[in-house]
Amino acid sequence: MPVRLVIFDIAGTTVADDNAVARAFSKAFEIYGYKVEPPQVEPLMGYPKPEAIRTMLDQLGVTVNDELVSDIHREFEIEMLDHYTYSPDVYPLPGAENLLLQLREMGIRIGLNTGFSHVITKSIMDRLQWLEKGLVDDVVSSDEVKSGRPHPDMIRELMRRAGVEDPAEVIKIGDTEVDIREGRNAGCLLSIGVTTGAFTREGLEPYQPDFILDSLSELPAILRDRE
């Protein structure tokens, strides 16, 4: 059965992160008097950010309420919007754009999904112009579906829009454990981890991805071996 749709995560998978997400997360907490170091944040990367904030507050022993979560998330969005709009450190990861072109030439549709909100995702897409360049067909953010990762809602929404009914025709690629579980929960043909973002190879291995890539340029060989 041919692969018809490949779905990539954004930060740390196709777009350079340089730990910016963890730093923004930590800074947002600091504004409200909570000290959170970036290494504490890394296990939560990939999750919908309000959910990650709730989890971190719980770990800190803080009484969680919707207003506090909303306030911290707002500060996080401000930091990330500034980063993705102005930082020179925002650029495609090595091999990402070339891979997207290769997949398009193979007749495979390209989707992106993310734990970011739509407003942050739009700032990234506006910066990179991937939709306008035809490198990407569609993008879904965690706040556009009922449940974000590890639930399969974002993958299923991208499948629906692409007219792909069978998840065995879909590959999911991401840099976190929750990306791997999202692909598994959706029933994707392959759920692939990459070491270019939040998780090392050793960090990804316990979640048993079908493959772990050190570079996106390794994907075409995997696809050729399955033909």
Side-chain angles (χ1 to χ4, degrees), residues 2 14 18 21 36 52 55 57 60 65 68 91 110-111 122 133 143 148 171 174 182 185 193-194 200 215:
T14 51
D18 191 33
V21 177
V36 175
T55 300
L57 287 170
L60 294 172
N65 62 74
L68 179 58
Y91 51 86
I110 309 298
K122 185 178 185 303
K133 292 176 182 177
D143 61 350
I171 292 175
E182 177 194 28
N185 290 338
V194 293
T200 63
S215 169

Side-chain angles (χ1 to χ4, degrees), residues 28-47:
F29 272 82
E30 184 179 349
I31 289 170
Y32 287 89
Y34 305 112
K35 186 172 179 59
V36 175
E37 298 293 344
Q40 295 175 262
V41 179
E42 289 170 7
L44 299 175
M45 293 296 94
Y47 285 87

Side-chain angles (χ1 to χ4, degrees), residues 24-223:
F25 201 88
S26 297
K27 187 171 182 179
F29 272 82
E30 184 179 349
I31 289 170
Y32 287 89
Y34 305 112
K35 186 172 179 59
V36 175
E37 298 293 344
Q40 295 175 262
V41 179
E42 289 170 7
L44 299 175
M45 293 296 94
Y47 285 87
K49 295 307 174 278
E51 181 180 334
I53 290 167
R54 286 180 180 276
T55 300
M56 181 56 67
L57 287 170
D58 186 62
Q59 290 177 6
L60 294 172
V62 177
T63 300
V64 180
N65 62 74
D66 291 344
E67 182 178 1
L68 179 58
V69 171
S70 178
D71 287 345
I72 294 174
H73 186 248
R74 182 181 64 250
E75 296 298 335
F76 171 80
E77 284 195 329
I78 290 170
E79 288 294 319
M80 292 312 303
L81 286 171
D82 180 76
H83 174 75
Y84 284 121
T85 303
Y86 301 110
S87 174
D89 297 324
V90 177
Y91 51 86
L93 279 166
E97 290 191 333
N98 185 54
L99 173 62
L100 298 177
L101 281 170
Q102 288 183 65
L103 295 177
R104 295 303 299 271
E105 290 170 358
M106 295 167 66
I108 296 173
R109 291 183 64 88
I110 309 298
L112 302 179
N113 72 3
T114 176
F116 290 142
S117 63
H118 174 74
V119 66
I120 297 176
T121 305
K122 185 178 185 303
S123 72
I124 302 170
M125 292 297 100
D126 288 346
R127 179 80 178 266
L128 298 178
Q129 296 285 293
W130 280 354
L131 289 165
E132 290 78 2
K133 292 176 182 177
L135 294 176
V136 169
D137 292 293
D138 211 341
V139 185
V140 170
S141 303
S142 60
D143 61 350
E144 296 179 85
V145 296
K146 181 180 179 181
S147 300
R149 301 171 184 149
H151 300 280
D153 297 21
M154 288 194 291
I155 291 176
R156 288 175 178 166
E157 177 62 13
L158 286 166
M159 288 175 59
R160 184 189 68 78
R161 296 181 188 178
V164 175
E165 296 183 358
D166 190 346
E169 298 175 318
V170 180
I171 292 175
K172 173 65 205 297
I173 303 177
D175 66 305
T176 68
E177 58 89 6
V178 77
D179 284 291
I180 304 305
R181 292 199 290 127
E182 177 194 28
R184 291 248 187 270
N185 290 338
C188 291
L189 173 67
L190 298 175
S191 193
I192 296 175
V194 293
T195 62
T196 50
F199 280 60
T200 63
R201 177 174 292 271
E202 291 75 19
L204 289 168
E205 283 175 345
Y207 303 99
Q208 301 183 315
D210 295 290
F211 296 92
I212 300 177
L213 311 182
D214 294 317
S215 169
L216 289 176
S217 62
E218 299 172 46
L219 181 62
I222 293 172
L223 294 177

